[in-house]
Amino acid sequence: MAQQSDFDLALHTKWFTKEPPAFPLPCMKALGPCTSTYNWFWEQDFADTTKTLICAVRWTDTKAITKVRVKWKRSNPAGTVTAEQKHYPAPAPLSEEDLDKAHGLYGANIATWAEETVGTTVGDGECWTLIHRALLDLADTYRQYGKEPPLISQGRSHGYPILSLTAPTLGSNSGLLQLAD
């Protein structure tokens, strides 16, 4: 995959001064489904306040990440704004051996976690929320024992993408159910 080019951050629109900031930008959303986060901080001196906004966006399908840092003076955002971007490519495809290893490391624990929640509602009750919570809880446990945690969900993508299916018609899942048999 080619390295991501810098995005046109449209700094003239002062999107970064809004609370919450208008992020991710439309040009980022155009690349596909994504999740994002941001954090603010500021430094005050005698003359003015310097604000800093750090944002990150991760594309659900590829797991590629872009981080953006924007700094400006509160008294003159348009005249003082600076920005930088860092792009992190999607992880390399996993080999069949790596996928089998991940299945061995995480599969049974994820299944056990899910079985232990039978009869309860996890999150909003949706299946993707169940797996997301399982991955979060297991990641914490793995970290406590100094082991590599599983890849956490991004949107409704869980782990490394190995299969993508589309229903034949909107609202139809019969083809997916037949595939599962």
Side-chain angles (χ1 to χ4, degrees):
M1 181 177 171
Q3 177 70 19
Q4 173 65 48
S5 300
D6 279 355
F7 291 97
D8 175 2
L9 296 179
L11 297 172
H12 66 280
T13 66
K14 296 190 263 179
W15 60 267
F16 49 91
T17 64
K18 309 290 187 268
E19 291 187 32
F23 189 85
L25 300 170
C27 61
M28 294 173 169
K29 290 180 182 178
L31 292 182
C34 58
T35 58
S36 63
T37 188
Y38 67 91
N39 192 18
W40 303 92
F41 62 92
W42 50 91
E43 301 169 52
Q44 180 118 18
D45 62 22
F46 294 107
D48 206 347
T49 301
T50 300
K51 292 193 170 191
T52 302
L53 172 67
I54 298 175
C55 305
V57 60
R58 185 174 197 175
W59 283 270
T60 304
D61 296 340
T62 66
K63 309 289 188 268
I65 298 172
T66 291
K67 294 182 180 180
V68 176
R69 180 170 51 192
V70 184
K71 292 179 86 169
W72 70 97
K73 296 279 188 185
R74 186 180 56 155
S75 63
N76 183 12
T80 60
V81 66
T82 60
E84 64 180 295
Q85 302 177 48
K86 290 186 179 179
H87 309 285
Y88 303 88
L94 295 177
S95 67
E96 188 172 338
E97 180 181 325
D98 289 336
L99 289 170
D100 285 341
K101 180 181 173 187
H103 170 69
L105 286 171
Y106 311 122
N109 290 332
I110 292 169
T112 299
W113 191 98
E115 288 169 354
E116 290 173 355
T117 64
V118 170
T120 65
T121 301
V122 176
D124 61 5
E126 296 285 335
C127 60
W128 70 273
T129 307
L130 174 80
I131 190 63
H132 179 70
R133 258 309 278 290
L135 291 169
L136 285 173
D137 286 355
L138 290 170
D140 287 344
T141 301
Y142 277 76
R143 282 188 199 100
Q144 288 173 6
Y145 287 94
K147 295 183 178 182
E148 184 176 351
L151 183 63
I152 302 302
S153 307
Q154 296 296 311
R156 291 187 175 118
S157 293
H158 314 288
Y160 189 82
I162 59 170
L163 177 66
S164 178
L165 300 172
T166 304
T169 59
L170 188 61
S172 168
N173 62 5
S174 62
L176 299 177
L177 293 176
Q178 290 170 353
L179 180 64
D181 288 340

